[in-house]
Amino acid sequence: MISIKNLNKTYVTPHSKITALSNINLEIEKGDIFGIIGFSGAGKSTLIRCINRLEEPDSGTILIEGQDITAMNNTQLRLARRKIGMIFQQFNLLDAKTVYQNVAFPLEVSGYPKKLIHSRVEEILELVGLADKAKAYPLQLSGGQKQRVGIARALSNEPNVLLSDEATSALDPQTTYSILELLKDINKKLGLTIVLITHELDVLKHICNNMAVIEQGEIVENGPVEKFFLNPESDTAKRFIDILQGFQAKRVYRGGEGI
């Protein structure tokens, strides 16, 4: 479904060159929920933004359902992006527009007929559990509700791929759980391929089937989520597991069970 070959990205500053991605190779199966984990600055956000060319890679190829995203001109890319939804950590909603208008906006830009827009928006709001919030404005919503609007907007053009850029990082644990359950439900009902970047192990464990670990712009481990937790190979993966175990031990101690 998504095939990334020899992907490279460098940022040039007045004083130096920063390698964000170095020779990235990944295969993501159709319908998978695939996680990419790494510490801050590892390159995970750059990688996911290269998939829809919000960031321009220096070299390499990205194939989505056999189409080379990196070889497309602007017109071709605009059409291809309609089938690549994206949700963000900070929601990126239009505060002056209602929930309905936020979800309808991508369809209006794509030139959909008004009657089709109306039925599509109603369908998606029902799917994400916000049918009763169509006339509300973002400032009237909770963080979890805002993210549901973001998800609904990303689904408006009936994408084949959904990219999630730290979509639960700004949410509390209970809300995070509800959003992850929604993404799992969407994956099951719509057969979407979901690529999710995070620095939270609980997110990986709860929702992802397969995953990759990125460190200093390189993929250092790749495989099933179960393998990552049971037998981490890379130093980065081991650090993540150590942090998780330390957090769990501290939580048990504070609860009095460790005394």
Side-chain angles (χ1 to χ4, degrees):
M1 172 59 176
I2 302 176
S3 179
I4 302 173
K5 301 286 188 185
N6 305 317
L7 192 70
N8 295 279
K9 173 67 179 179
T10 301
Y11 293 106
V12 179
T13 72
H15 304 291
S16 64
K17 287 185 177 181
I18 301 170
T19 300
L21 301 174
S22 179
N23 200 35
I24 299 291
N25 290 276
L26 277 179
E27 298 289 331
I28 300 172
E29 295 296 324
K30 184 177 178 64
D32 196 7
I33 304 180
F34 191 95
I36 299 170
I37 194 167
F39 291 106
S40 179
K44 55 188 186 295
S45 288
T46 301
L47 175 54
I48 202 169
R49 291 169 66 87
C50 280
I51 293 177
N52 61 1
R53 275 180 58 189
L54 287 178
E55 291 283 356
E56 287 287 349
D58 298 333
S59 60
T61 59
I62 301 170
L63 272 66
I64 300 179
E65 293 194 327
Q67 291 188 308
D68 187 353
I69 298 295
T70 55
M72 291 179 176
N73 60 35
N74 289 338
T75 301
Q76 293 169 329
L77 182 59
R78 239 183 345 260
L79 292 173
R81 279 179 176 157
R82 294 181 185 178
K83 296 300 179 182
I84 308 172
M86 190 162 185
I87 51 178
F88 303 88
Q89 178 181 356
Q90 298 301 331
F91 319 129
N92 288 8
L93 302 180
L94 301 169
D95 289 338
K97 292 184 179 289
T98 65
V99 167
Y100 179 98
Q101 291 168 333
N102 266 278
V103 178
F105 184 69
L107 296 171
E108 293 168 350
V109 171
S110 298
Y112 278 68
K114 284 188 177 181
K115 187 178 291 187
L116 181 59
I117 290 175
H118 182 72
S119 61
R120 180 64 182 154
V121 172
E122 285 191 334
E123 177 187 2
I124 303 170
L125 290 180
E126 184 70 35
L127 177 65
V128 302
L130 290 178
D132 61 334
K133 298 293 183 181
K135 296 181 180 180
Y137 287 87
L139 293 176
Q140 298 172 301
L141 304 177
S142 67
Q145 289 170 333
K146 289 178 182 178
Q147 194 55 280
R148 286 173 182 266
V149 178
I151 293 170
R153 183 184 55 191
L155 295 175
S156 60
N157 273 311
E158 300 182 75
N160 301 315
V161 175
L162 184 62
L163 307 177
S164 171
D165 188 359
E166 298 275 13
T168 60
S169 294
L171 304 176
D172 62 76
Q174 185 174 348
T175 307
T176 292
Y177 175 81
S178 71
I179 293 297
L180 295 179
E181 285 297 300
L182 174 61
L183 290 176
K184 284 172 68 174
D185 187 52
I186 289 169
N187 169 260
K188 184 178 180 180
K189 287 180 177 176
L190 305 182
L192 277 179
T193 303
I194 299 177
V195 183
L196 183 150
I197 68 166
T198 185
H199 61 270
E200 300 172 286
L201 287 182
D202 286 344
V203 171
L204 279 182
K205 196 171 186 178
H206 187 82
I207 192 174
C208 296
N209 305 313
N210 297 288
M211 59 165 291
V213 183
I214 188 169
E215 180 63 29
Q216 295 183 339
E218 297 182 358
I219 299 297
V220 294
E221 191 165 345
N222 185 12
V225 169
E226 292 86 352
K227 175 179 171 292
F228 173 85
F229 282 95
L230 295 174
N231 186 29
E233 296 178 355
S234 65
D235 289 340
T236 301
K238 291 173 182 175
R239 284 167 60 201
F240 267 110
I241 297 298
D242 287 345
I243 290 169
L244 177 65
Q245 291 174 342
F247 175 76
Q248 289 174 335
K250 189 179 294 185
R251 186 164 55 186
V252 169
Y253 178 80
R254 285 176 178 171
E257 298 173 32
I259 300 174

